[in-house]
Amino acid sequence: MAEDLALLVDAARAAGEIALGYFRRDPKVWIKGVSSPVSEADIAADEALHRILTAARPDYGWLSEESVDTPDRLARRRVFVVDPIDGTRGFIEGHPDWCVSVAIVEGDAPVAAALYAPARDEMFTAAAMAGARLNGAPIAVSGRATLAGARVAGPARHLKAMAEHGMDATERRFTPSLAYRFALVAAGRVDVATARSGAYDWDLAAVDLLVHEAGGTLRDLGGGRLRFNGVEPRHPSLIASTPALASAAEAIIAEVEAGHAAPGSTAR
C-alpha cells in the first residue's frame, strides 16, 4: 500500500503541475453533456494520469471523469478512480480551490488516496488504517460537538439553512471543488460540508478515505457510507462532518432537500 500511495502522490503532483500551466491563462473550454464545462487542462491532466498510473499498474481498472467508462473495471480487484481537475468551473474562473483527485478502490471502498491542490501547494494523502496527512503532517477533524458556531461549507440553499441554526458560513461559503470542500473537514478547517445529489465516484473516492482516516464521517442523508465502483458511480446528497455533528446536520439538510423536491418548490 505504501508503494501504491507513493505512486498516487507522484501522479497527482505531475498532473497538477500540468494543469497549473493552464491556470489563469485562458485555456480552451467547451461544454460536455448539458452544461458541464471541460478545459484543455482537464484533458491534458487526465492523459498524464492515465499514462503514469496504468503503466505502473496495468492490472488495475480505470474510472475517470474525462475518460470513456467501460464495464471492464467492474471485474478488476483494484481500480484507479480519478478526477484530473475537480472544480473545473472554479479553475476556469481563476479560483484557487481546485484539485487533482486520485484514489485506488478495492472492492467497493477506497484504500489509498491523494488529493493535490496545486494553486495552494497542498497535498492531502491517506491510506486505509494509516491515517490522513496534509503535506506530510497528520491531520484530524475538529472534534466540534455543537451546531452553534460550527464552520460550514456547501451549496447556497444548504448554507442558508445551516446559518438559521446558528452555524457559521462566513469563512468558506461555497468552495468550487467538492473534493476540496470535504477535504477541509478532514483538515479541521471546516466542521460540516455538504453536497447536493449527483456527485460521482471520481469526485468522492479520495476524499471519502481522507475524511474517515482523519476521524470524520462522510455519508448520505440516511447515514449510509458510500460504496464505490458500482455499475452507476453516482451518489445522493452527502454530508462530511465531525462524528458528533453528523446526525443533527443530516436532519437539517434532509429537510432542505425534501422542500426542494416538493411540487411547486422554488428553492434553489
Side-chain angles (χ1 to χ4, degrees):
M1 190 57 64
E3 291 180 358
D4 272 358
L5 182 57
L7 172 64
L8 295 187
V9 168
D10 289 345
R13 194 176 296 279
E17 290 302 318
I18 289 171
L20 198 59
Y22 293 90
F23 185 51
R24 295 174 177 166
R25 296 185 181 181
D26 194 27
K28 295 179 182 177
V29 177
W30 57 96
I31 300 297
K32 63 181 180 181
V34 177
S35 61
S36 296
V38 61
S39 76
E40 58 183 324
D42 294 81
I43 303 306
D46 188 66
E47 290 173 348
L49 289 169
H50 189 270
R51 181 176 64 253
I52 294 167
L53 295 173
T54 59
R57 302 288 188 274
D59 55 325
Y60 288 16
W62 179 262
L63 177 63
S64 168
E65 180 174 13
E66 305 304 342
S67 301
V68 175
D69 187 17
T70 69
D72 171 75
R73 63 179 171 82
L74 300 174
R76 301 298 182 101
R77 177 170 172 264
R78 288 184 171 175
V79 178
F80 290 118
V81 181
V82 169
D83 193 341
I85 298 180
D86 187 78
T88 297
R89 290 183 189 276
F91 174 87
I92 293 167
E93 294 168 0
H95 196 294
D97 289 354
W98 54 275
C99 62
V100 180
S101 176
V102 190
I104 294 171
V105 168
E106 183 174 312
D108 63 5
V111 294
L115 192 77
Y116 183 44
R120 297 190 179 278
D121 195 23
E122 294 178 339
M123 178 69 77
F124 297 83
T125 58
M129 306 298 292
R133 295 178 176 270
L134 171 55
N135 290 343
I139 55 174
V141 298
S142 70
R144 189 176 187 91
T146 57
L147 286 180
R151 298 160 298 171
V152 297
R157 67 175 182 256
H158 292 179
L159 293 180
K160 181 176 183 294
M162 290 189 286
E164 291 171 354
H165 286 79
M167 302 168 81
D168 181 10
T170 58
E171 181 181 354
R172 278 289 172 179
R173 299 180 295 112
F174 183 82
T175 302
S177 165
L178 173 56
Y180 189 77
R181 187 189 315 165
F182 284 171
L184 296 175
V185 175
R189 299 177 189 169
V190 166
D191 305 305
V192 178
T194 68
R196 296 189 297 264
S197 64
Y200 287 87
D201 278 12
W202 47 76
D203 302 307
L204 299 164
V207 78
D208 178 79
L209 185 62
L210 279 168
V211 169
H212 284 100
E213 287 296 323
T217 68
L218 201 173
R219 59 201 209 186
D220 61 31
L221 299 184
R225 186 161 178 177
L226 282 62
R227 297 183 182 278
F228 297 92
N229 198 36
V231 174
E232 175 54 57
R234 202 170 188 185
H235 299 271
S237 298
L238 302 168
I239 293 179
S241 73
T242 64
L245 293 178
S247 294
E250 282 169 15
I252 295 170
I253 302 308
E255 183 177 355
V256 172
E257 290 302 302
H260 182 74
S265 171
T266 57
R268 295 183 182 274

